[in-house]
Amino acid sequence: MITLYQAPPAWGLPNVSPFCFKVETYLRMAGLPYRTALGDTRKAPKGKIPWIDHDGKEVGDSTFIIDYLKQRFGDPLDAKLTAEQHATGLVVQRMIEEGLYFVALYARWIEDDGFEGMKTALFGGYPIPPVIKSILPHAFRNKTRKQLHLQGTGRHSRAEVYEIGRRDLVAFSQLLGDKKFFFGDEPTSYDACYAAFLGAILKPPYENPLRKSAHDLASLPRYFDRMWQRYYSDWSAPK
Ligand SMILES: N[C@@H](CCC(=O)N[C@@H](CS)C(=O)NCC(=O)O)C(=O)O
């Protein structure tokens, strides 16, 4: 059995973390049975969520998890992709995970309403004592501020940060065009990543320029909805 260790669900999405949402989406796309459990990063093989335990074998990092699952169970989703398509898929994944993600982190942790939302969405789901629950979000906010500064996004003005994000979203929408999925009529593993990160930007109900840019590019919510209908129509948030 595969156990996916991750953060709690939030905002009608299966997970507050886009990296966890990506892996769960891949598991559903590949039709692999799995269960989910709350992950404590102190127990994670790489100190981050998500990770999986497959019959005692632990794998950390969303991309290495998907690689492992492909090796172990086959890779029908990507069987028809050319080397050039794989190259494009990877470049877009890098833009999203190593660039756009930091703009989303800014919207979630630096903006006051995003931070208020994260307090409930992330920490509300973990069984931790109230005293710790009141301290931990501020510690995470400080850590994220430092991370954004070291990575570079945190050194820009608010307007510049959101302009970086807008350009990435426009680039993605240009490449998506009017296709149903990123590479055509059938989804591939790359769509797990793209849909998860778009969901994480579109669905949290806090207004910010990144969210607005994503909603203004009408093909993006349509793309997300298409993936959602196909893979999550049976999903409901745990009570
Ligand atoms: N490259 C990793 C990134 C995972 C990641 O950044 N996870 C975040 C949550 S979205 C995390 O665990 N943060 C906690 C921490 O850094 O302490 C992947 O693809 O899985």
Side-chain angles (χ1 to χ4, degrees), residues 32-48:
L32 298 172
Y34 66 95
R35 66 181 199 96
T36 61
L38 268 183
D40 177 341
T41 52
R42 290 169 302 182
K43 298 181 186 152
K46 294 191 175 172
K48 282 183 182 261

Side-chain angles (χ1 to χ4, degrees), residues 29-222:
M29 292 173 83
L32 298 172
Y34 66 95
R35 66 181 199 96
T36 61
L38 268 183
D40 177 341
T41 52
R42 290 169 302 182
K43 298 181 186 152
K46 294 191 175 172
K48 282 183 182 261
I49 47 168
W51 82 95
I52 60 161
D53 180 310
H54 174 229
D55 295 341
K57 161 113 181 123
E58 287 193 334
V59 185
D61 187 281
S62 62
T63 300
F64 286 130
I65 295 170
I66 291 174
D67 286 349
Y68 169 83
L69 295 172
K70 285 177 173 180
Q71 277 162 17
R72 198 69 183 62
F73 300 104
D75 187 16
L77 285 165
D78 294 351
K80 292 191 183 142
L81 289 180
T82 64
E84 188 180 340
Q85 285 174 317
H86 272 297
T88 305
L90 180 63
V91 168
V92 175
Q93 181 183 329
R94 289 276 188 268
M95 174 184 78
I96 291 176
E97 295 186 358
E98 313 292 346
L100 183 60
Y101 171 62
F102 291 94
V103 180
L105 273 187
Y106 180 97
R108 286 181 170 201
W109 290 99
I110 307 304
E111 300 279 22
D112 286 336
D113 57 352
F115 175 60
E116 287 307 314
M118 285 303 282
K119 275 189 197 170
T120 323
L122 182 57
F123 300 98
Y126 281 96
I128 41 183
V131 184
I132 313 244
K133 225 173 233 189
S134 66
I135 298 166
L136 218 47
H138 297 280
F140 263 70
R141 190 183 209 187
N142 288 337
K143 185 174 148 183
T144 306
R145 212 187 286 282
K146 282 190 195 130
Q147 186 186 2
L148 285 168
H149 184 76
L150 289 173
Q151 184 270 343
T153 300
R155 296 167 199 242
H156 301 307
S157 70
R158 182 177 186 270
E160 287 168 338
V161 170
Y162 285 123
E163 178 57 13
I164 291 169
R166 190 192 68 78
R167 287 180 189 175
D168 286 0
L169 291 170
V170 169
F172 180 82
S173 76
Q174 290 289 338
L175 291 172
L176 177 64
D178 56 10
K179 298 190 296 294
K180 278 168 75 178
F181 302 100
F182 193 77
F183 286 114
D185 282 345
E186 289 305 318
T188 68
S189 70
Y190 294 100
D191 291 294
C193 165
Y194 308 158
F197 279 78
L198 287 175
I201 291 168
L202 289 162
K203 295 299 169 185
Y206 319 109
E207 281 310 329
N208 60 65
L210 184 67
R211 182 177 194 266
K212 181 170 182 335
S213 296
H215 278 280
D216 286 350
L217 293 160
S219 62
L220 301 188
R222 282 204 299 268

